[in-house]
Amino acid sequence: MSTLTEEQYTLDHPEVIFWTDFFLSEANKKDIFSDLTESSPVATKYTALVVGSSWHKFSEFMPKLLTHAATSMHSNEKRHYITQVAWEELGEGNINNLHCDLFEEALTLSEVTQDEYEAFIHTDYSHEPIRALQNSFLKLNSDSEILGLCLGLEIIAIENIETIYWALAHTPEVAERISATKFFKIHRFNETEHIRLNISNYLKFCSTPLEKDKFKQGFDEALKFWEFFWDGNALTINNLDGRSEKHQVIQA
């Protein structure tokens, strides 16, 4: 991962620490992962299919969202910071390191076949959270709201990665294989920096009460997306919403 030059709001800066804790606390109030972890205590091949396929769709969409967010900014300084994460998602200049493709490699190692994946992504559910996120983004009308959305998408990144790992690692052998993949090695290293970068955007660009309020509104929109995303995965895994009857792909 490339390291962004930052002279002011470094990881150990008191304001970075304070606001990271604040926004993480706000996210934790939502219990975003509770439905999934409480109802699915054991990972199976079906959890790998559902969560893995859903995450792959999100991973494909993220560069599009981030580049759109960057072009929506009203200064090149703000664009500079937003494009840092987009640049990483797109492989940092190496077409072989696109993050969505790196994740696809991990998904394959979890024993989900291409046919199973293709069958699942054509279900209605697999596109719903992405559509909702895109619609939320299009309703944002200020730089501060967009910056808040970007932080909200990153704030639980560490928990996201470990939840994905749990879902894919349905046997000890699979767990060992996917731990060694470039996808998990990169994401277990860089998520803290992504959060710091987005916190620094808040500190640099949101100084007035109105800007701070707008930032929080965008942040809350991202949390709504994560609730939708993970609750939907839990429902699909546990056959609680009727989707599995329509789309039987794997019997766990």
Side-chain angles (χ1 to χ4, degrees), residues 1 11 16 20 154 157-158 187-198:
M1 185 194 99
L11 195 61
V16 171
T20 299
E154 292 287 355
I158 296 169
H187 287 80
R188 283 172 165 164
F189 174 79
N190 67 8
E191 300 298 3
T192 299
E193 169 61 11
H194 287 183
I195 295 168
R196 185 213 60 78
L197 187 153
N198 282 279

Side-chain angles (χ1 to χ4, degrees), residues 14-76:
E15 287 189 274
V16 171
I17 294 171
F18 175 85
W19 287 108
T20 299
D21 289 345
F22 171 81
F23 284 109
L24 186 56
S25 175
E26 291 296 295
N28 288 338
K29 290 176 184 177
K30 303 293 185 180
D31 288 328
I32 289 169
F33 300 95
S34 60
D35 283 357
L36 182 68
T37 56
E38 290 174 8
S39 59
S40 306
V42 179
T44 67
K45 188 179 175 184
Y46 190 55
T47 65
L49 171 68
V50 175
V51 173
S53 299
S54 298
W55 189 264
H56 189 256
K57 296 301 295 182
F58 173 72
S59 184
E60 285 183 318
F61 178 70
M62 267 301 282
K64 178 180 178 180
L65 179 69
L66 291 170
T67 52
H68 194 173
T71 59
S72 300
M73 292 291 104
H74 288 83
S75 77
N76 282 331

Side-chain angles (χ1 to χ4, degrees), residues 81-92:
Y81 290 110
I82 288 183
T83 55
Q84 300 303 312
V85 179
W87 173 247
E88 290 180 22
E89 291 286 338
L90 292 170
E92 299 180 75

Side-chain angles (χ1 to χ4, degrees), residues 96-164:
N96 296 314
N97 285 339
L98 292 171
H99 284 196
C100 59
D101 291 348
L102 296 180
F103 182 71
E104 186 174 356
E105 175 193 0
L107 184 59
T108 299
L109 290 174
S110 75
E111 301 176 353
V112 172
T113 69
Q114 186 66 26
D115 286 346
E116 290 163 346
Y117 169 77
E118 291 291 341
F120 183 81
I121 64 168
H122 289 298
T123 67
D124 294 337
Y125 166 70
S126 64
H127 301 280
E128 288 172 8
I130 304 302
R131 288 196 203 101
L133 178 57
Q134 188 166 27
N135 289 337
S136 293
F137 176 82
L138 293 174
K139 294 175 183 177
L140 304 181
N141 55 23
S142 70
D143 288 4
S144 297
E145 287 173 284
I146 294 172
L147 292 173
L149 183 82
C150 289
L151 174 62
L153 292 175
E154 292 287 355
I155 194 66
I156 58 170
I158 296 169
E159 294 86 347
N160 279 335
I161 293 303
E162 294 310 318
T163 301
I164 297 161

